[in-house]
Amino acid sequence: MSVETTGDPSPTAAHRKPPAPRQQYITWIALAMMTTSSVASLRSAPSMAVYGLACVFLYLVPAIVFLLPTALVSAELASGWAGGVYRWVSEGISDKAGFLAVWCQFAMTIFYYPTLLAYVASTFAYVVNPQLASSGPYTAIVIVTLFWAGVFVSSRGMKAVAGLSSAGLVLGTLIPGVLLIVMGVVFLGQGNPSAAPMEFSALLPAWTGVASLVLIVNNFLSYSGMEMNAVHVSSLRKPASEFPRAMFVAMGLVLGIFILPAIAISWVVPAESLSLTAGVMQAFDTFFAHFGFGWATPILALMLIAASLGGMLTWLAGPSKGLLMIGRQDGFLPPILQRLNVHGIQQNILVAQGAVTTVIALLYAFIPEVSSAYWILSVITTQVYLVVYVLMFVAAMRLRRQQPDHPRGYRAPALFLLCWVGLVASVAAFCIGFVPPSQFGGGSVLVYVLIVGGGFGIVGLGVPLLILALRKPSWKQELVADPVKEA
């Protein structure tokens, strides 16, 4: 059948192919801002303020040996293999290793949210009663209440909470961070003494054994998440030059947000009285009292709380959704955990996560020192998440060696060197995580190792191995287009 023409040899509009969608690009500056907003936070500042000026060293080291390799290596993987860490590890190692990676990416949130909500609990205490910040039962009650409220909100499919993520960077990070720095500079400028040594020699932490550097492990978790931003590498016009530029700018901004507020806190709160959960509010409380703005403490506390809760609601369903998709497509999860509610949300996974989080929250009720519980859970979170990076670095080297001609939008320079540096740093951080920090030397070393090792062994390795052992062919099913009909 011929095509009608009207003096124009081209096909008529009815037969023309629709134009291909135009590539949507983002600037490298926008990517740098996105990376900064997803990584930077004030929550870890108190743990580094304990070291005063030495926090500069303790933040720079993991930035060089972990943050930079993670960003550049994940950029190459994202530009060549869509699908995130599961696809990367599955292609480079095996499907089972890919499942372990995506499981650990999900499982780390089981410990992450209790530490996040412990920070919220201690911050809220400064609104009602600052003495509650060191109360274990109070902290446990707040964690359980807020987490289950978050599960309820997320299970309703309320997409509006996603907008709180970007607002959280300004409301709960940039404004409080700048305030801390400005008030700290003015405080010292008035001739007030610093609570921490400010001599040049204080830039290096005092060496009292391996335990004196254990806090650096927590900084690996502070920098985690760079692999998620690597998926945007294909949206840059010139990935080879613009992505490294964006990462270096983001790294500078992240370091500034991490280091400067931590130093400001160390100026007014002595290390021996610094709370790892309430340290930010301790500093604000001291500064505001000094400048006669005591009324502003509750306002600042509510800003920090709103930003933290917004972040929790935004990310609560994210990792569990990734686990759901892999569990269905490859049959890694039992049917009961694959079911969706009427809103298309993986409610059963969230409920199971909430049950485990409730049990973990009880640590705050039974461990006398809230800071000790906070630190232990932070270490377990890091231990579980480091497995993801170990597998990622190994997969990247294998893919470069086995599939050198596979199309990649970005090729990391000196990839094998970056992978080995990141791999060794991750393994070293994992081992150091089992050493109790010097600040908690009064407790039992055996109990500390058993808690950290047990938490990692059960959640990070035991559960995924059990799932793989019980896995059945009938667990595999296709994702339905309309989740409402399924329910």
Side-chain angles (χ1 to χ4, degrees):
M1 182 177 180
S2 61
V3 178
E4 295 183 3
T5 61
T6 56
D8 185 348
S10 62
T12 61
H15 296 276
R16 292 194 186 106
K17 292 182 179 180
R22 296 180 61 185
Q23 170 70 45
Q24 297 294 320
Y25 292 105
I26 61 174
T27 66
W28 66 269
I29 296 178
L31 181 58
M33 294 299 104
M34 291 167 58
T35 303
T36 302
S37 65
S38 63
V39 175
S41 171
L42 294 179
R43 193 167 60 88
S44 61
S47 65
M48 289 296 103
V50 172
Y51 276 70
L53 275 183
C55 73
V56 177
F57 172 85
L58 296 175
Y59 270 122
L60 281 177
V61 171
I64 294 172
V65 303
F66 179 76
L67 174 62
L68 193 58
T70 298
L72 298 183
V73 171
S74 60
E76 173 168 326
L77 293 173
S79 69
W81 294 268
V85 69
Y86 173 76
R87 173 81 185 282
W88 306 341
V89 177
S90 296
E91 290 276 352
I93 304 177
S94 68
D95 288 344
K96 291 183 178 180
F99 172 70
L100 177 60
V102 79
W103 167 264
C104 287
Q105 196 175 49
F106 161 76
M108 79 94 179
T109 63
I110 295 176
F111 298 99
Y112 170 74
Y113 287 118
T115 59
L116 172 66
L117 294 177
Y119 166 75
V120 171
S122 62
T123 302
F124 184 70
Y126 278 81
V127 178
V128 289
N129 182 1
Q131 294 183 348
L132 290 174
S134 59
S135 170
Y138 158 79
T139 303
I141 291 172
V142 171
I143 291 174
V144 173
T145 302
L146 291 181
F147 187 85
W148 281 106
V151 169
F152 174 78
V153 172
S154 296
S155 66
R156 306 297 294 177
M158 297 180 63
K159 299 180 180 179
V161 298
L164 293 174
S165 179
S166 57
L169 175 65
V170 176
L171 184 67
T173 300
L174 292 182
I175 292 178
V178 170
L179 276 177
L180 274 176
I181 298 166
V182 171
M183 289 191 297
V185 171
V186 174
F187 178 82
L188 294 184
Q190 292 178 338
N192 296 292
S194 170
M198 288 292 109
E199 295 82 11
F200 181 77
S201 59
L203 283 171
L204 292 178
W207 178 255
T208 58
V210 178
S212 65
L213 291 178
V214 169
L215 281 176
I216 199 173
V217 173
N218 201 36
N219 288 347
F220 278 70
L221 181 62
S222 298
Y223 291 135
S224 63
M226 296 295 291
E227 75 281 359
M228 291 184 289
N229 292 285
V231 299
H232 301 295
V233 66
S234 58
S235 298
L236 296 171
R237 290 184 182 275
K238 300 177 181 178
S241 61
E242 292 182 342
F243 187 83
R245 192 183 308 164
M247 290 302 102
F248 279 114
V249 170
M251 189 166 69
L253 292 174
V254 169
L255 285 173
I257 292 173
F258 280 152
I259 293 174
L260 297 179
I263 293 177
I265 292 174
S266 72
W267 288 339
V268 294
V269 184
E272 59 273 12
S273 61
L274 184 65
S275 168
L276 297 189
T277 56
V280 175
M281 289 310 304
Q282 283 180 311
F284 274 117
D285 197 35
T286 303
F287 277 135
F288 285 148
H290 174 78
F291 292 111
F293 299 139
W295 53 267
T297 299
I299 297 176
L300 227 298
L302 292 176
M303 290 170 61
L304 294 172
I305 290 171
S308 297
L309 292 180
M312 184 194 77
L313 291 175
T314 301
W315 292 102
L316 184 60
S320 59
K321 185 176 181 180
L323 182 65
L324 171 74
M325 294 178 64
I326 301 305
R328 286 189 156 200
Q329 293 173 358
D330 297 283
F332 284 121
L333 291 180
I336 190 172
L337 294 180
Q338 297 183 26
R339 296 190 62 186
L340 306 178
N341 65 9
V342 293
H343 301 286
I345 303 297
Q346 56 281 3
Q347 182 172 304
N348 288 359
I349 295 180
L350 294 177
V351 170
Q353 184 180 8
V356 178
T357 300
T358 300
V359 174
I360 294 175
L362 297 178
L363 282 174
Y364 284 92
F366 294 109
I367 295 181
E369 177 59 46
V370 171
S371 287
S372 297
Y374 178 88
W375 171 254
I376 290 173
L377 291 179
S378 296
V379 171
I380 295 175
T381 303
T382 306
Q383 303 294 76
V384 172
Y385 209 9
L386 284 173
V387 173
V388 178
Y389 293 106
V390 169
L391 293 173
M392 185 188 79
F393 288 128
V394 173
M397 289 189 287
R398 288 173 61 88
L399 286 171
R400 176 69 78 88
R401 188 178 294 113
Q402 296 174 357
Q403 302 182 36
D405 298 324
H406 183 87
R408 295 164 169 85
Y410 171 80
R411 297 180 74 90
L415 179 124
F416 289 97
L417 176 61
L418 289 172
C419 287
W420 277 112
V421 170
L423 184 61
V424 171
S426 299
V427 173
F430 181 86
C431 296
I432 292 174
F434 289 99
V435 180
S438 55
Q439 283 76 11
F440 307 100
S444 170
V445 175
L446 179 60
V447 171
Y448 180 89
V449 172
L450 288 177
I451 293 177
V452 173
F456 168 77
I458 294 174
V459 178
L461 296 178
V463 174
L465 290 177
L466 180 62
I467 291 175
L468 290 175
L470 299 176
R471 179 185 177 193
K472 299 178 181 179
S474 59
W475 290 4
K476 188 174 181 179
Q477 59 179 294
E478 295 296 329
L479 291 170
V480 295
D482 187 357
V484 176
K485 292 180 180 179
E486 178 189 7

